[in-house]
Amino acid sequence: MSKQILFIQGGGEGGYEADKELVTSLQAALGEEYMISYPEMRWDEAAADFGWTKQIGEEIAQADNGLVLVGHSFGASMILKYLSETTINKKIKGVFLLAAPFWSGDEAWKAGFKLKSDFANSLPADVVYYLYHSKDDDEVPIFHFHQYKKKLARANFREVNSGAHQFGNDLALVAEDIKSL
């Protein structure tokens, strides 16, 4: 039986297409023992979070226990939002977040993206968390990664020297950490 991974794409125009290369890299590094589900996220302009947390919940509900979640950029931040604000009925084995923005500020358009101040205390306790960030990421600067380090002390943090926002389309490091579970 394959080990299940749910990969949530990054946002923005072309996010799904751009992140296909990340999914391909991760699948190649993990091998046939793993099966990656990569749904294309729909944008609901009327929802404060564009409807992503609802869609993430629907995808998790369809999965088996022992699921591994991987998210890139906006998708990574929405995974954290979903997990910290929803009671999860599935066993999640690990959460791997790539270039996650840490939403802050008072702008109205960010309100639906921001985590609650005590979000870390609301995350499922029996789950392993990994966060990854490239020092040379111009889209989501390394500052965001350091904010998560302050707030989510129990997570594992991997700061890489280069690869920019797309990690050079090489997720071998992420695959190694997933295999270690």
Side-chain angles (χ1 to χ4, degrees):
M1 183 172 174
S2 295
K3 297 176 184 176
Q4 280 189 308
I5 296 175
L6 173 59
F7 193 109
I8 303 297
Q9 73 186 63
E13 191 172 325
Y16 182 77
E17 288 302 317
D19 284 357
K20 277 184 179 179
E21 292 187 52
L22 293 175
V23 173
T24 299
S25 169
L26 185 59
Q27 184 67 68
L30 288 170
E32 294 178 10
E33 189 177 337
Y34 294 83
M35 180 188 73
I36 300 176
S37 173
Y38 184 48
E40 185 169 4
M41 302 300 283
R42 299 172 313 279
W43 291 88
D44 178 356
E45 298 291 332
D49 65 359
F50 297 123
W52 282 41
T53 56
K54 179 181 178 195
Q55 292 174 72
I56 290 167
E58 291 167 355
E59 293 294 333
I60 290 172
Q62 294 176 24
D64 295 330
N65 283 317
L67 175 68
V68 170
L69 293 171
V70 179
H72 179 240
S73 196
F74 185 74
S77 67
M78 291 299 98
I79 287 172
L80 273 181
K81 185 166 180 63
Y82 176 80
L83 293 177
S84 66
E85 296 180 5
T86 309
T87 300
I88 310 299
N89 295 321
K90 294 281 175 137
K91 170 71 175 136
I92 295 174
K93 196 168 187 178
V95 176
F96 298 81
L97 306 172
L98 315 167
F102 188 89
W103 298 101
S104 61
D106 295 329
E107 298 92 337
W109 65 270
K110 292 180 182 177
F113 308 156
K114 291 168 62 174
L115 297 167
K116 294 179 180 173
S117 61
D118 65 342
F119 80 93
N121 297 328
S122 300
L123 290 170
D126 59 345
V127 175
V128 176
Y129 297 88
Y130 282 83
L131 282 86
Y132 305 82
H133 216 101
S134 293
K135 290 179 183 178
D136 64 350
D137 187 337
D138 290 336
E139 285 188 51
V140 179
I142 195 77
F143 164 81
H144 296 261
F145 181 72
H146 294 297
Q147 291 300 108
Y148 282 115
K149 280 180 128 175
K150 291 177 188 174
K151 302 278 188 182
L152 191 54
R154 64 182 160 136
N156 301 284
F157 292 90
R158 305 273 194 257
E159 190 172 324
V160 297
N161 288 324
S162 63
H165 192 61
Q166 294 295 122
F167 295 87
N169 292 316
D170 181 358
L171 295 187
L173 175 62
V174 179
E176 286 177 33
D177 288 336
I178 290 172
K179 287 179 177 181
S180 75
L181 296 179

